[in-house]
Amino acid sequence: MRKPMIAGNWKMYKTAGQAVFIVQDLAELIKDVKDVEVIVCPSYIALKSVSTVIEMDKLNMGLGAQNVYWEEEGAFTGEVSPMMLKDLRVDYVIVGHSERRHIFGETNEMVNKKLKAVLAHDMKPILCVGETKEEREEERTDEVIKEQLFGNLAEVSLRDIRKVVIAYEPVWAIGTGLTASSEDANDIIQNIRALIESLYGSEVAEDIRILYGGSVKPENITELMEEQEIDGALVGGASLDAQSFAKIVKYQSAEE
Ligand code: PGA
């Protein structure tokens, strides 16, 4: 059984103080939720404060970072190493987010280096893949996702792949209010599972968690989660407010 995961990506929003407030409010709102893994991914600047509050108050959630550099240490001004994240008790690191790929020019090779560095430091990558609007219109979705997956997972062992979470995030659906239909998202996630099977076999494919991301909101989460292949969500905008994020986490009780 794949445990559902709901992860909030706060992008470049919220100061450290604001992040702590949301985490505390969120923890109160979701305190009875047991069967969903909840992850918050604040900015680097807020990681320490959020990590401390999660630890001290024994909150029901894990900590994620939004990015990492692959080197252990060195003259890389402005970068943050996996060792530094591990030291802050970070559990998950998002790699390959479309904003990193498209705004900051990250290639499949760079994403692969980051992913391997996260694994080498005993943290778990959330690997984002997805096509742009143009690629979708040119019917290249499957090809693009295959290229990303194969490139990003190069040299990842059968043992390590079990720690990877994949997020299918169509670029045209991120922050736009447009969502892939739940059937469409399910179909593409099924294809991703088939690609994982071709690389690592059916047992891994059956166990690996694949999330959907792109304008997930309290209003559409239930429908998405009803789909067989969708194991959770990576949520941007709607995770910035504790009430709306909590509603997404509690998708099983949609009437609330
Ligand atoms: P969104 O962002 O929910 O605001 O569309 C999703 C993401 O970028 O992970």
Side-chain angles (χ1 to χ4, degrees):
M1 263 305 268
R2 303 188 293 263
K3 185 171 186 177
M5 173 190 272
I6 305 287
N9 171 13
W10 292 350
K11 308 192 179 185
M12 201 175 72
Y13 293 98
K14 308 291 177 192
T15 62
Q18 290 168 336
V20 166
F21 277 130
I22 302 187
V23 159
Q24 286 169 328
D25 285 352
L26 177 66
E28 183 56 30
L29 292 165
I30 63 166
K31 62 178 186 299
D32 298 327
V33 175
K34 298 215 163 25
D35 44 3
V36 177
E37 186 174 2
V38 180
I39 307 295
V40 290
C41 307
S43 74
Y44 280 148
I45 292 292
L47 281 174
K48 188 173 169 58
S49 333
V50 172
S51 173
T52 303
V53 77
I54 289 177
E55 165 114 341
M56 300 280 284
D57 298 351
K58 299 194 171 43
L59 302 184
N60 180 18
M61 63 186 81
L63 183 63
Q66 301 172 18
N67 187 24
V68 68
Y69 192 60
W70 54 81
E71 295 286 350
E72 185 87 11
E73 59 181 7
F76 303 103
T77 302
E79 294 296 329
V80 170
S81 82
M83 188 177 69
M84 294 169 183
L85 296 181
K86 183 71 188 169
D87 181 55
L88 293 178
R89 295 182 296 272
V90 165
D91 308 297
Y92 287 91
V93 184
I94 299 173
V95 294
H97 190 278
S98 68
E99 285 148 20
R100 301 291 328 164
R101 293 181 192 263
H102 297 289
I103 304 174
F104 300 101
E106 286 188 13
T107 62
N108 281 331
E109 195 188 346
M110 289 159 79
V111 175
N112 175 245
K113 284 186 183 171
K114 291 184 175 200
L115 185 135
K116 286 188 292 188
V118 170
L119 289 167
H121 286 79
D122 207 23
M123 296 180 288
K124 290 167 271 191
I126 301 176
L127 169 63
C128 303
V129 296
E131 81 287 3
T132 62
K133 186 162 173 280
E134 295 70 43
E135 288 161 348
R136 189 176 186 89
E137 283 164 3
E138 291 163 12
E139 295 180 4
R140 293 178 52 224
T141 300
D142 291 348
E143 174 200 332
V144 168
I145 290 178
K146 182 173 178 183
E147 205 174 295
Q148 289 174 339
L149 268 186
F150 282 36
N152 299 161
L153 292 174
E155 297 167 0
V156 172
S157 70
L158 193 56
R159 187 175 59 101
D160 279 348
I161 188 68
R162 295 185 169 279
K163 299 185 198 143
V164 177
V165 174
I166 296 173
Y168 166 56
E169 297 208 310
V171 180
W172 49 271
I174 296 178
T176 57
L178 301 171
T179 342
S181 73
S182 47
E183 295 82 18
D184 251 16
N186 192 64
D187 285 352
I188 293 172
I189 289 178
Q190 190 166 34
N191 289 345
I192 294 176
R193 217 177 278 293
L195 290 169
I196 293 295
E197 180 170 358
S198 73
L199 289 171
Y200 295 100
S202 55
E203 206 181 309
V204 168
E206 190 49 44
D207 289 349
I208 198 163
R209 287 183 294 179
I210 311 181
L211 318 180
Y212 169 76
S215 298
V216 173
K217 302 184 266 298
E219 296 76 33
N220 58 22
I221 185 69
T222 310
E223 193 185 323
L224 287 161
M225 293 304 288
E226 271 164 12
E227 295 291 340
Q228 185 94 25
E229 301 290 336
I230 303 179
D231 301 320
L234 181 54
V235 188
S239 71
L240 292 167
D241 172 78
Q243 295 280 351
S244 95
F245 193 30
K247 282 187 188 153
I248 295 173
V249 170
K250 298 202 276 189
Y251 63 88
Q252 283 151 325
S253 41
E255 68 279 6
E256 285 187 47

